[in-house]
Amino acid sequence: MYNVNNIFGIQNGYKGFYSSNYVAITPKTVNDIHKRGGTVLGTSRGGHDTKKIVDNIQDRGINQVYIIGGDGTQKGAYEIYKEIRKRGLKVAVAGVPKTIDNDIAIIDKSFGFDSAVEEAQRAINSAHVEACSAENGIGLVKLMGRYSGFIAMYATLASRDVDCCLIPESPFYMDGEGGLLQYVERRLKENKHMVIVVAEGAGQDIIAKSIPASDQLDASGNKLLLDIGLWLTHKIKDHFKSKKMEMTIKYIDPTYMIRAIPSNAADNVYCTLLAHSAIHGAMAGYSFTVGMVNGRHAYIPFYRVTSTRNKVKITDRMWARLLSSTNQPSFLRQKDIDEAREADRLTNKPPLPPVANQNVAKAFDQSASASSNGEI
């Protein structure tokens, strides 16, 4: 169909391009992969050699490349696209955003996010049961979210059992008037139990003051995070011990359980629509990241989705709704609010493309038309 002769899957991420990790893809081989979690092609972390990848694309006569993944993957797709354009190759590059963190800019949401929020609720429900089963019981759940706290925020709103949600975008402090420890103590005196949800990237600046921070980076170049969940657990225990107040805290870390589940029905439908849009655009010869923007499918230039990161706006109504749901204090000073507003202003300012003569008004970048051999 459409003069497509061969379709290949690249195993183990970008490095699979120049490691000859190619597998033939047919309708039969992908018939039921949507019912499984994880990835059938495998994945990898870390950098890649863009020139080697494009050499391989050129040598094999590939004319369409579909790249699926999060913000780091989309940045890699942009580098590949630039190298392809530099060489004048007739190859279309289509990026499909897939990350549970929902931190890709411009688009309404990324594939995988709804499934992650749904599974996160199971961990929160377990924490609530444990907290209710003990006098002065606390259930503490750590969820994914290195830079963006969307999973924690939406899981909290969906659950309605959470008394406090902590995310990277919203600073908080532990001690003193209006601090987290004072709120936890007050909540236990009122309800005899409470549930706390924390995103993995929250409170890193506070932990660094009491624990020497490591400058080590992971394979993708991200700074290794300190465990906010364990740190909070010990801090809360020490606080109540000093107050001679009995309490029980149960710490739940469902991180990889959430990421490994099969997608739910909503994500299955969304993924299908993204795939259709990506194919239509690539067949027309365009290079882009595909996504839903204000409820409509759109082709977005790579530089727009890679120049910034989608984050929770703590000056927005959704965060205000969360504060109303949990009844937690904002933990914010006026300085924090002013800084958040300035960050929102800068985020909403569209970046200029790296090429000076590129037309900013174009909805997407057009690459050359597809090559004639029909291989994908």
Side-chain angles (χ1 to χ4, degrees), residues 29-64:
T29 59
V30 298
N31 182 53
D32 62 350
I33 62 172
H34 63 288
K35 299 175 184 176
R36 290 181 257 168
T39 166
V40 295
L41 291 176
T43 185
S44 63
R45 302 294 297 272
H48 61 270
D49 190 322
T50 303
K51 290 185 178 180
K52 280 187 178 181
I53 290 175
V54 179
D55 286 343
N56 203 274
I57 291 171
Q58 189 171 4
D59 292 343
R60 285 180 173 264
I62 295 171
N63 61 22
Q64 294 177 32

Side-chain angles (χ1 to χ4, degrees), residues 148-289:
S148 304
F150 285 103
I151 296 178
M153 181 174 72
Y154 276 83
T156 293
L157 284 167
S159 170
R160 304 291 181 90
D161 290 327
V162 180
D163 300 284
C164 185
C165 177
L166 306 172
I167 61 174
E169 296 89 337
S170 183
F172 67 93
Y173 56 99
M174 298 294 295
D175 303 302
E177 185 70 24
L180 177 62
L181 292 175
Q182 184 189 67
Y183 173 64
V184 171
E185 186 176 338
R186 175 166 60 84
R187 200 68 170 169
L188 287 183
K189 287 178 180 178
E190 292 172 352
N191 291 354
K192 303 302 181 183
H193 70 272
M194 76 175 297
V195 175
I196 302 172
V197 170
V198 58
E200 61 179 333
Q204 293 297 307
D205 56 333
I206 300 178
I207 310 176
K209 293 176 183 177
S210 57
I211 300 176
S214 171
D215 291 328
Q216 289 183 314
L217 304 177
D218 64 17
S220 296
N222 298 310
K223 187 176 180 179
L224 292 177
L225 297 177
L226 298 168
D227 193 329
I228 181 65
L230 282 176
W231 185 83
L232 275 178
T233 300
H234 292 306
K235 279 290 182 181
I236 292 171
K237 283 182 177 180
D238 291 343
H239 173 76
F240 283 97
K241 185 176 181 180
S242 68
K243 294 276 185 176
K244 293 182 171 54
M245 183 175 171
E246 290 291 327
M247 57 79 64
T248 300
I249 185 167
K250 298 294 173 62
Y251 173 42
I252 298 174
D253 181 358
T255 300
Y256 293 104
M257 293 174 64
I258 289 173
R259 197 172 71 171
I261 62 165
S263 56
N264 64 12
D267 268 330
N268 279 339
V269 173
Y270 186 39
C271 184
T272 300
L273 298 178
L274 288 176
H276 289 176
S277 294
I279 291 169
H280 290 317
M283 286 289 184
Y286 297 116
S287 291
F288 54 86
T289 292

Side-chain angles (χ1 to χ4, degrees), residues 11 118 137 178 210:
Q11 292 183 310
E118 187 173 304
S210 57

Side-chain angles (χ1 to χ4, degrees), residues 294-307:
N294 295 327
R296 294 179 179 273
H297 285 266
Y299 299 138
I300 311 161
F302 285 119
Y303 73 85
R304 287 292 277 120
V305 296
T306 58
S307 59

